[in-house]
Amino acid sequence: MKKLKDLSNEDLDNIIEFLSVTINDFILKRIKSKEIVNLDININLNYNEELDIDISVDLELDKFSTLDEAIANEAIDFALNSCDLFLEDNYCG
C-alpha cells in the first residue's frame, strides 16, 4: 500500500464508520436479524506514522440459530481487506 496522507480526526471517524458498516453488512447478509441477540462492534484506531486497527465483534445468536458465531471473525477479515482498498482510494498520497 502507498503511504497514507496525514489523517485528521474526521478521516479517522470516516475509516471507523466504513469498517463498522462493512462488518454490519457482512453479518446481516448471512444471518437474519431476528437470529441476532446481540451485535457489538468495537473499533479502535491508533494513528502515529502508521495506522493500527484493532477490531472486536461480540456476536450472540439465539439458541435456535444454525449458524456459528465464528462469522464475526470472517466479518473482521473481510472488513480489514476492504479497508486496504478504501484507504488506497481515499487517503493515500
Side-chain angles (χ1 to χ4, degrees), residues 5 11 25 44 60 66 77:
K5 70 173 192 164
D11 294 334
D25 289 351
N44 293 308
E60 183 183 347
T66 59
D77 290 341

Side-chain angles (χ1 to χ4, degrees), residues 21-36:
V21 168
T22 301
I23 290 169
N24 193 60
D25 289 351
F26 183 93
I27 290 171
L28 290 177
K29 285 180 182 174
R30 288 155 181 81
I31 301 174
K32 294 177 184 170
S33 60
K34 66 181 181 179
E35 293 182 36
I36 298 173

Side-chain angles (χ1 to χ4, degrees), residues 40-85:
D40 187 25
I41 301 169
N42 293 301
I43 301 170
N44 293 308
L45 300 182
N46 185 11
Y47 176 68
N48 290 315
E49 290 183 19
E50 292 186 2
L51 182 63
D52 181 37
I53 302 171
D54 181 40
I55 303 173
S56 65
V57 176
D58 180 24
L59 175 63
E60 183 183 347
L61 302 175
D62 72 22
K63 61 184 176 182
F64 301 110
S65 178
T66 59
L67 295 169
D68 191 333
E69 293 174 3
I71 198 163
N73 291 328
E74 294 174 30
I76 291 170
D77 290 341
F78 179 79
L80 289 172
N81 289 331
S82 299
C83 189
D84 287 343
L85 294 173

Side-chain angles (χ1 to χ4, degrees), residues 1-8 10-19 22 51 82-93:
M1 184 187 325
K2 298 176 185 174
K3 182 169 172 52
L4 287 175
K5 70 173 192 164
D6 289 336
L7 299 175
S8 67
E10 182 179 347
D11 294 334
L12 295 174
D13 288 343
N14 290 336
I15 294 167
I16 289 171
E17 179 69 18
F18 172 81
L19 289 165
T22 301
L51 182 63
S82 299
C83 189
D84 287 343
L85 294 173
F86 178 76
L87 292 173
E88 275 192 37
D89 290 346
N90 297 285
Y91 300 106
C92 285

